[in-house]
């Protein structure tokens, strides 16, 4: 067991799966390292519960989940977290037995031991405390991977992420059209 960021709350880690071990957060939310089976589950979630632009880089053509976009989604993850030499760590966000999104840590060059943190959650699962639990588990995963800090980018419209950050004493600052937050993993409340 490891203590969760600044709260002293225990998070259990077993076989790389991060799970809350405290009743003040959703105990059904876990992060499981992305593998090919989970990749297909999160693709199904994305297709049924998210817009392609919320979960992957843009792909040309008409909007929606075309066969081309589905293939691009699989290629994207297979070229990153599932590559022979992974360039990032990605986790399936599980709510009970259901894959409801993806969280990731992408190491940033030239910024010390810093990673960019990101996540997406299917629309029907938003507003239920999953993002808050995922962020806390992602902080633990980042520490376990040896990072000292995280960078979080979000849009000014994404008040949910802003609330998760400010609850921990982190203030996002404008950077162009986005907001950027710096998270010191050694001093985060």
């Amino acid at each position: 067991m490891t203590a969760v960021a600044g709260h002293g709350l225990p998070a259990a880690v077993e076989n790389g799966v991060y799970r809350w071990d405290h009743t003040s957060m959703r105990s059904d939310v876990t992060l499981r390292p992305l593998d090919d089976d989970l990749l297909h589950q999160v693709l199904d979630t994305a297709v049924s519960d998210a817009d392609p632009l919320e979960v992957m880089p843009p792909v040309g053509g008409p909007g929606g989940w075309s066969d081309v976009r589905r293939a691009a989604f699989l290629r994207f993850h297979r070229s990153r977290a599932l590559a022979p030499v992974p360039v990032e760590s990605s986790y399936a966000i599980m709510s009970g037995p259901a894959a409801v999104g993806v969280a990731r840590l992408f190491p940033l060059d030239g910024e010390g031991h810093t990673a960019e943190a990101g996540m997406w959650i299917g629309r029907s699962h938003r507003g239920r405390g999953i993002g808050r639990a995922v962020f806390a588990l992602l902080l633990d995963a980042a520490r376990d991977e040896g990072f000292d800090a995280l960078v979080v980018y979000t849009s000014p419209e994404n008040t949910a992420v802003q609330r998760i950050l400010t609850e921990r004493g982190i203030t996002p600052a404008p950077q162009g059209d986005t907001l950027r937050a710096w998270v010191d993993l050694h001093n985060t409340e």
Side-chain angles (χ1 to χ4, degrees):
M1 276 218 246
T2 59
V4 174
H7 290 279
L9 303 176
V13 182
E14 185 177 323
N15 297 324
V17 176
Y18 289 82
R19 175 184 321 278
W20 277 104
D21 196 22
H22 192 275
T23 58
S24 69
M25 280 279 187
R26 288 189 58 145
S27 62
D28 65 325
V29 176
T30 58
L31 297 181
R32 290 183 51 198
L34 195 63
D35 61 25
D36 209 57
D37 289 336
L38 287 170
L39 177 59
H40 286 277
Q41 290 179 44
V42 296
L43 173 59
D44 290 344
T45 298
V47 169
S48 67
D49 211 14
D51 184 275
L53 292 176
E54 295 174 330
V55 303
M56 61 183 279
V59 174
W65 282 101
S66 65
D67 289 341
V68 170
R69 277 203 181 78
R70 291 171 195 239
F73 180 92
L74 296 173
R75 247 189 339 273
F76 173 74
H77 285 287
R78 288 180 178 143
S79 71
R80 301 185 64 78
L82 300 179
V85 179
V87 297
E88 70 182 16
S89 298
S90 292
Y91 301 90
I93 299 170
M94 308 300 292
S95 178
V100 300
V102 173
R104 67 181 181 79
L105 296 170
F106 176 70
L108 297 175
D109 292 333
E111 294 203 40
H113 296 285
T114 302
E116 179 183 333
M119 73 173 93
W120 66 265
I121 298 169
R123 290 177 180 169
S124 68
H125 300 279
R126 297 176 191 169
R128 300 178 180 184
I130 293 173
R132 181 174 289 107
V134 168
F135 187 69
L137 293 172
L138 206 52
L139 292 174
D140 237 20
R143 282 190 195 88
D144 288 350
E145 290 188 31
F147 293 110
D148 296 319
L150 292 179
V151 174
V152 177
Y153 292 97
T154 192
S155 67
E157 298 81 24
N158 194 337
T159 57
V161 170
Q162 293 173 56
R163 192 169 34 257
I164 290 168
L165 293 168
T166 57
E167 286 172 355
R168 291 180 170 274
I170 303 161
T171 305
Q175 184 177 34
D177 293 340
T178 65
L179 297 176
R180 181 182 191 267
W182 177 267
V183 183
D184 180 343
L185 292 173
H186 301 291
N187 295 310
T188 301
E189 290 299 321

